[in-house]
Amino acid sequence: MQLRPLAICAIVFFTAGLAVASFANFREFIPGLLQGAWITVQITIGGCIVAVVAALLAAIARMYGPAPLRWLAVSYIELFRGTSALVQLFWLFFVLPHFGIVLEPMSVAIAALGLNVGAYGAEVVRGAITAVPRGQWEASVALNMPRKLALRRIILPQAFAAMIPPWGNLFIELLKATALVSLITISDLAFKAQQMNQTTFRTVEIFSIVLVMYLAISILITVGMRALETVAARGMARGR
Amino acid sequence: MTTPMVKFDNVTKRYGSLTVLDSLNLEIAPNEKVAIIGPSGSGKTTVLRMLMTLERINDGVIYVDGEPMTHMEKNGALVPASERHLRRVRGNIGMVFQHFNLFPHMSALKNCMEAPIHVLGLPRVEAEERAAELLDMVGLGDKKGHYPSQLSGGQQQRVAIARALAMRPKVMLFDEVTSALDPELVGEVLQVIRRLAKEHSLTMLMVTHQMGFAKEFADRVCFFHSGKIAEQGAPEDLFNNPREERTQQFLSAVLEAG
Ligand SMILES: Nc1ncnc2c1ncn2[C@@H]1O[C@H](COP(=O)(O)OP(=O)(O)O)[C@@H](O)[C@H]1O
Ligand SMILES: [Mg+2]
């Protein structure tokens, strides 16, 4: 379990932040920063959902789809892995309107970050599906299951268990990448912090609180994924 | 003569330039029990895997219950089978693997219910009843809720047998089903297969190294050598008076190993 070092880290940072901040009245920053944090959380949750869906679709299309779908999936994966998340955000936000497609900033943030992480996730999904022993496919054929049924009921549930830890990392990457969304006019946690810093110059307090808030969210993700891993592992053991 | 349940008609299987099975001809009557023996690499597993449609064949036709399986008739000619055709004919066949291949994320009962519900379309209650009956039959009535990881190898293999039977196949294939087991667990699995052979009208093909079992179980023993049936016959004849030198050598080597 890696929870203990994480918890210790959190406590150390939190106390340090408090110690410094308590010189000044740090509480005045909390409501504003919490507003920003809520935006960050929303983008993270939305982005993670988009990422998982995109990754599953892309991986399955790439592995089992007909040729056109396969190409589409490969293009998506390569395009979004080969360019930066920032450029993707700018494309969706500043370039698409030139083609008549105007999206809400929040939708753009969720779509861009979700699709970006989804492209990496597709490789995670593919790896996990490939790692399911071949005997599981063969048993499915011997029971006369159509391929789709075997994939859905036999292969994917086993692949999910292997996917959970790498997805935990990707979700945290997504959380960290949310700091980019201030560049498309969204008042997320990082943006709020900068804004307050520019008007008050209370740099140490503000950024200590910000650090603790980001850390708290990422610890929540880690704990959640651990719990999911435990559930998935229950009663499971590979067939060999 | 009755229609054979399984018929290999000049079936050839190649992996690249390696010919694994060379114009194999083999007919198996309904309800017949056939043991397949032979040295490692002689193509025994490949025979079963082709019949289970896990491997495509390069030449020839496999018939099941009088109907071509690897091919289908179209305008009077035989063309390679579509997936739909394969699925229809494949339903006659069940297979038990050396490494069990149970679904690790499902209990023993669920392992036996999955395909009956989702492939045969049985109502859940009926599928559960059938699964429970079969688990009782293989002596695992008290282990229905256990996951594969909570069962011994012998118990897992018995669940795998029940799972295959739940699809009501006419032909059952067993590929060295006791080879991965600790010696003390072999007996319980063989006991189940013995009962099946006696009490059910099933056509059975069994690849085995258990010569003693082959002798009592089989109506016919086929000795494979380099992708061909080198010799076949009733167990008493083949084991007691092998005609071919290769058979004699193989049998004495196996007896040596005990
Ligand atoms: N997927 C494969 N690719 C290449 N060669 C294979 C493959 N499967 C089996 N073979 C070869 O085919 C031959 C027969 O294999 P097999 O039927 O498994 O033999 P047996 O079960 O009698 O030991 C062996 O020489 C084996 O190496
Ligand atoms: Mg073999």
Side-chain angles (χ1 to χ4, degrees):
Chain A
M1 281 300 256
Q2 241 127 12
L3 282 184
R4 195 169 301 162
L6 271 180
I8 291 169
C9 262
I11 290 164
V12 168
F13 280 121
F14 191 70
T15 339
L18 272 187
V20 176
S22 58
F23 284 106
N25 198 357
F26 74 99
R27 279 195 190 82
E28 67 193 80
F29 301 114
I30 298 245
L33 289 177
L34 272 180
Q35 266 176 21
W38 174 232
I39 298 287
T40 295
V41 167
Q42 282 176 300
I43 296 173
T44 305
I45 293 174
C48 289
I49 294 171
V50 171
V52 170
V53 172
L56 279 173
L57 291 179
I60 290 171
R62 179 176 181 174
M63 295 177 79
Y64 306 112
L69 267 186
R70 240 174 16 238
W71 295 330
L72 196 67
V74 171
S75 312
Y76 156 64
I77 293 169
E78 294 308 326
L79 181 67
F80 276 81
R81 282 200 317 171
T83 59
S84 77
L86 186 63
V87 172
Q88 290 155 21
L89 269 176
F90 282 2
W91 255 84
L92 293 194
F93 194 68
F94 297 119
V95 181
L96 282 192
H98 289 283
F99 298 96
I101 304 168
V102 183
L103 299 168
E104 294 284 306
M106 279 298 274
S107 312
V108 168
I110 289 172
L113 297 180
L115 289 174
N116 178 268
V117 170
Y120 292 91
E123 295 301 285
V124 166
V125 172
R126 189 161 75 108
I129 290 177
T130 314
V132 174
R134 206 166 49 116
Q136 294 291 310
W137 279 109
E138 296 184 345
S140 307
V141 171
L143 293 167
N144 213 1
M145 294 185 185
R147 220 150 111 105
K148 270 190 200 145
L149 179 71
L151 185 65
R152 185 165 56 80
R153 302 270 318 169
I154 307 302
I155 306 300
L156 279 181
Q158 295 180 58
F160 274 130
M163 276 179 219
I164 295 169
W167 269 117
N169 290 335
L170 288 177
F171 289 164
I172 289 172
E173 288 297 321
L174 198 148
L175 165 65
K176 291 192 279 187
T178 56
L180 295 173
V181 303
S182 56
L183 296 168
I184 57 165
T185 74
I186 296 176
S187 307
D188 73 316
L189 180 53
F191 178 82
K192 282 276 187 192
Q194 242 169 342
Q195 198 183 33
M196 286 180 180
N197 186 40
Q198 272 159 18
T199 50
T200 66
F201 299 106
R202 305 259 291 274
T203 310
V204 177
E205 291 102 311
I206 291 171
F207 283 101
S208 302
I209 300 171
V210 166
L211 192 78
V212 171
M213 283 182 172
Y214 272 116
L215 198 60
I217 303 173
S218 86
I219 288 174
L220 271 181
I221 294 176
T222 305
V223 170
M225 295 305 276
R226 285 279 152 69
L228 209 58
E229 211 180 326
T230 315
V231 171
R234 192 171 296 155
M236 268 271 285
R238 286 291 132 99
R240 51 207 50 199
Chain B
M1 190 184 155
T2 53
T3 320
M5 180 56 78
V6 173
K7 180 173 160 188
F8 289 83
D9 184 8
N10 272 306
V11 173
T12 296
K13 173 70 189 171
R14 284 183 290 265
Y15 289 113
S17 61
L18 175 73
T19 301
V20 177
L21 286 167
D22 190 5
S23 304
L24 176 72
N25 286 297
L26 177 62
E27 287 189 13
I28 298 159
N31 211 8
E32 193 182 11
K33 322 290 181 221
V34 175
I36 296 177
I37 62 171
S40 177
S42 57
K44 308 180 298 295
T45 295
T46 306
V47 171
L48 299 195
R49 289 175 59 84
M50 290 187 320
L51 188 49
M52 193 67 258
T53 69
L54 295 171
E55 302 286 350
R56 293 201 164 263
I57 65 178
N58 298 105
D59 220 337
V61 183
I62 300 176
Y63 295 83
V64 174
D65 206 6
E67 187 179 11
M69 176 173 72
T70 51
H71 296 71
M72 53 189 186
E73 276 172 58
K74 203 173 186 179
N75 308 326
L78 282 183
V79 298
S82 65
E83 181 59 30
R84 229 177 104 218
H85 177 84
L86 273 183
R87 284 201 57 222
R88 199 167 52 74
V89 186
R90 178 161 62 204
N92 292 312
I93 304 171
M95 182 162 181
V96 182
F97 299 88
Q98 188 174 352
H99 294 285
F100 331 135
N101 299 352
L102 289 180
F103 305 135
H105 56 304
M106 296 181 187
S107 66
L109 191 72
K110 288 274 161 60
N111 261 279
C112 301
M113 290 167 60
E114 182 66 18
I117 291 175
H118 294 284
V119 177
L120 302 181
L122 285 195
R124 183 165 285 276
V125 185
E126 199 176 318
E128 182 166 347
E129 226 167 76
R130 184 189 284 195
E133 243 168 57
L134 286 164
L135 286 173
D136 281 337
M137 192 202 78
V138 300
L140 292 173
D142 57 339
K143 297 275 194 282
K144 293 186 184 87
H146 285 52
Y147 283 83
S149 60
Q150 299 167 316
L151 298 172
S152 75
Q155 290 168 336
Q156 290 187 55
Q157 196 57 297
R158 286 186 280 152
V159 174
I161 293 172
R163 181 177 70 172
L165 289 173
M167 295 299 281
R168 300 263 162 97
K170 296 179 185 163
V171 183
M172 278 283 279
L173 313 178
F174 298 85
D175 187 13
E176 294 196 35
V177 294
T178 57
S179 295
L181 300 179
D182 290 334
E184 78 273 17
L185 302 177
V186 169
E188 65 189 51
V189 173
L190 292 183
Q191 187 55 37
V192 166
I193 297 174
R194 200 175 280 133
R195 264 192 69 186
L196 264 185
K198 284 213 186 76
E199 296 171 14
H200 293 251
S201 64
L202 273 170
T203 307
M204 293 165 85
L205 256 88
M206 184 177 199
V207 173
T208 184
H209 289 298
Q210 235 79 45
M211 295 306 147
F213 187 74
K215 209 175 204 165
E216 63 159 304
F217 157 87
D219 303 313
R220 174 160 50 129
V221 179
C222 295
F223 172 68
F224 272 74
H225 195 276
S226 330
K228 281 183 174 302
I229 299 180
E231 183 171 355
Q232 59 178 317
E236 314 79 72
D237 298 336
L238 192 122
F239 285 122
N240 300 338
N241 304 303
R243 281 174 281 116
E244 296 275 329
E245 199 184 323
R246 287 173 297 189
T247 320
Q248 292 160 8
Q249 276 169 2
F250 173 76
L251 287 176
S252 61
V254 171
L255 286 180
E256 187 86 13

